[in-house]
Amino acid sequence: MKRVFKNFINIIICKFFSFFSLKKSVFFDSYGGLYACNPRCISESLHKKHPDIKQIWNIKKGIQGVPPYIQQVQKNSFNYFKALFTSKICIFNSGIIIPRKRKGQFFLDTWHGDRAFKNVSITPIGEKSSIAYQQIDAVLSGSDYADRIYREQLCFTGEILKTGSPRNDLFFKFTQEQCEKIKNDIGGSAFDSFLLYAPTYRNLDEGKADLNFSALLDRLEKRDQKKWCCLVRQHYKVKFANSWCKDSRIINVSKFPDVNELLLLTDILVSDYSSIVGDFVLLKRPVVLYVPDLDEYNKTKGLNFKLNESPFVFAQNESDLYDKIVKLSIDKARGNCEAVLDFYGKVCEDGHATERVIRYIEEILG
């Protein structure tokens, strides 16, 4: 009933704004109000090439780092709906649930996890995810694997653009100066190497593993004779473990705005079921999955494939995790990453995704 009422209101609003002409403007919505992910990369590149094109973003209050050329609106405000229903192009990264859009509008979705582990058929609140893609005209894909997710789990029937993910272009054109700046920004300039721990959010306290990173860092420093640092990036609702606070080599980067910039610094990634892994393997560096709750997670959330039938290196207990991390050489890691990319099928990430999307936008705007 609540969804029916919302749909009715949206139809009324859409009809109201149909009396306004469509504008040669682009509306962006990333994660429901953040300035992030693929839409951000597209937005910044679009402004460099076409500063005359008006950009409007749904931005939550308090979000920092939004450029002055962007008009900010808050969700469900008059200006939000005006932008949504009068912009020629609207760009999202997780769909949008509305019953209709205006004739002549074009809705593009970039998605935010091209090579995700989790089944995305059902949303966290129990709705079918496919309803968020009923008004989408085209989606971005970086692999055959993503194509299947769109068709089979999101029931998307529109155009799939094999562009790659714009946020991953960074991996193909970064500089040492960029890396040094990121190190300084996170307070890690004293360290030589970085391990990033980035687990997915489970809605459960037990989803957080208070791993003994101090012991792992000791082993890595003994192996390499270098200063190692552990970066921890968790969901904002998950508390930073007290034991981690006692070691200055462990830095909380959960509030750092761009996770892909953190990946540039990362020498070893430890994650679990997060799509961050599918991005990181593009850098051909060591990645190990820590999945002590594998069976339970698969039963409750659902995975798209069996880990033991994939090329991923994974561990189900702390001791095994540390052993695999320490023993995984750069050469083995490179081969493993290539096997993972082959597993996803025709991965088309080459550093030019944003350029392709901009050309597509230019064609639509005319």
Side-chain angles (χ1 to χ4, degrees):
M1 183 62 71
K2 189 175 181 181
R3 175 61 62 199
V4 172
F5 178 73
K6 283 185 175 181
N7 286 346
F8 174 74
I9 296 298
N10 270 300
I11 290 172
I12 298 296
I13 294 171
C14 182
K15 284 186 175 181
F16 171 78
F17 283 109
S18 67
F19 292 101
F20 293 67
S21 61
L22 284 178
K23 306 294 184 183
K24 190 178 179 179
S25 59
V26 183
F27 174 75
F28 292 88
D29 192 335
S30 180
Y31 298 120
L34 301 183
Y35 181 62
C37 197
N38 292 313
R40 175 177 177 172
C41 298
I42 296 168
S43 171
E44 292 176 350
S45 183
L46 180 64
H47 178 71
K48 287 179 182 178
K49 193 170 183 182
H50 299 285
D52 57 312
I53 295 178
K54 186 175 182 179
Q55 296 191 30
I56 310 157
W57 274 73
N58 170 32
I59 297 289
K60 293 178 181 178
K61 291 183 178 179
I63 297 297
Q64 303 295 316
V66 182
Y69 58 81
I70 286 174
Q71 178 188 340
Q72 300 183 41
V73 296
Q74 276 74 53
K75 190 169 185 179
N76 295 331
S77 66
F78 177 86
N79 286 332
Y80 168 85
F81 286 114
K82 183 180 179 181
L84 178 62
F85 290 119
T86 62
S87 295
K88 175 72 174 178
I89 298 177
C90 296
I91 298 177
F92 312 92
N93 76 338
S94 52
I96 182 170
I97 302 176
I98 55 173
R100 68 169 63 171
K101 62 178 182 289
R102 288 180 59 185
K103 184 179 180 180
Q105 283 193 294
F106 188 90
F107 282 13
L108 172 68
D109 192 87
T110 71
W111 194 229
H112 56 271
D114 186 89
R115 292 168 287 281
F117 285 67
K118 295 173 285 186
N119 187 298
V120 295
S121 301
I122 305 297
T123 70
I125 60 173
E127 293 184 318
K128 289 184 178 180
S129 298
S130 57
I131 64 174
Y133 284 80
Q134 291 174 351
Q135 299 301 326
I136 300 298
D137 295 291
V139 295
L140 305 187
S141 171
S143 63
D144 290 347
Y145 177 88
D147 294 356
R148 294 195 297 272
I149 299 299
Y150 282 128
R151 299 301 192 206
E152 297 171 9
Q153 296 182 19
L154 298 177
C155 303
F156 179 69
T157 58
E159 186 177 10
I160 296 178
L161 306 175
K162 293 300 280 283
T163 59
S165 299
R167 69 182 184 188
N168 291 336
D169 288 348
L170 178 67
F171 297 153
F172 298 87
K173 53 188 70 172
F174 66 93
T175 65
Q176 188 58 40
E177 288 74 17
Q178 282 178 288
C179 293
E180 290 300 323
K181 183 181 183 303
I182 298 166
K183 284 174 69 172
N184 290 331
D185 289 344
I186 63 171
S189 56
F191 299 100
D192 304 307
S193 302
F194 295 85
L195 178 145
L196 174 63
Y197 175 57
T200 192
Y201 180 57
R202 293 170 171 75
N203 293 313
L204 297 169
D205 288 339
E206 56 265 31
K208 173 176 65 67
D210 292 346
L211 294 166
N212 184 0
F213 286 123
S214 295
L216 175 58
L217 292 173
D218 288 342
R219 290 183 63 178
L220 289 171
E221 289 182 340
K222 182 178 180 181
R223 183 193 72 179
D224 299 337
Q225 298 299 305
K226 293 181 179 179
K227 292 182 179 179
W228 272 86
C229 174
C230 176
L231 306 176
V232 177
R233 186 179 180 87
Q234 301 180 116
H235 192 277
Y236 70 92
K237 290 183 179 179
V238 180
K239 287 183 65 177
F240 194 71
N242 290 330
S243 60
W244 297 341
C245 297
K246 299 175 183 177
D247 192 333
S248 61
R249 298 174 299 175
I250 304 174
I251 301 176
N252 186 359
V253 292
S254 298
K255 293 183 179 180
F256 192 80
D258 190 339
V259 67
N260 278 39
E261 288 189 353
L262 293 177
L263 293 181
L264 290 184
L265 283 187
T266 301
D267 296 285
I268 300 173
L269 174 66
V270 177
S271 189
D272 44 22
Y273 318 105
S274 173
S275 61
I276 192 176
V277 174
D279 293 341
F280 185 72
V281 291
L282 295 169
L283 290 167
K284 308 292 178 66
R285 301 174 189 171
V287 55
V288 181
L289 310 183
Y290 182 54
V291 289
D293 59 344
L294 177 59
D295 294 335
E296 180 186 353
Y297 192 91
N298 194 27
K299 288 178 183 177
T300 57
K301 301 287 186 180
L303 297 176
N304 291 323
F305 53 86
K306 295 179 180 179
L307 273 185
N308 59 1
E309 295 179 1
S310 76
F312 285 104
V313 177
F314 67 94
Q316 293 189 263
N317 62 69
E318 193 170 358
S319 176
D320 188 35
L321 173 67
Y322 295 169
D323 285 344
K324 285 181 175 174
I325 288 173
V326 173
K327 294 176 182 178
L328 191 59
S329 68
I330 295 297
D331 289 338
K332 286 184 179 179
R334 187 176 293 109
N336 177 246
C337 289
E338 289 172 354
V340 169
L341 292 172
D342 288 342
F343 174 75
Y344 285 121
K346 289 185 181 178
V347 173
C348 57
E349 305 277 8
D350 60 2
H352 299 287
T354 307
E355 295 172 29
R356 298 185 185 103
V357 177
I358 296 300
R359 286 199 296 269
Y360 196 77
I361 291 173
E362 291 170 338
E363 290 176 9
I364 296 168
L365 291 177

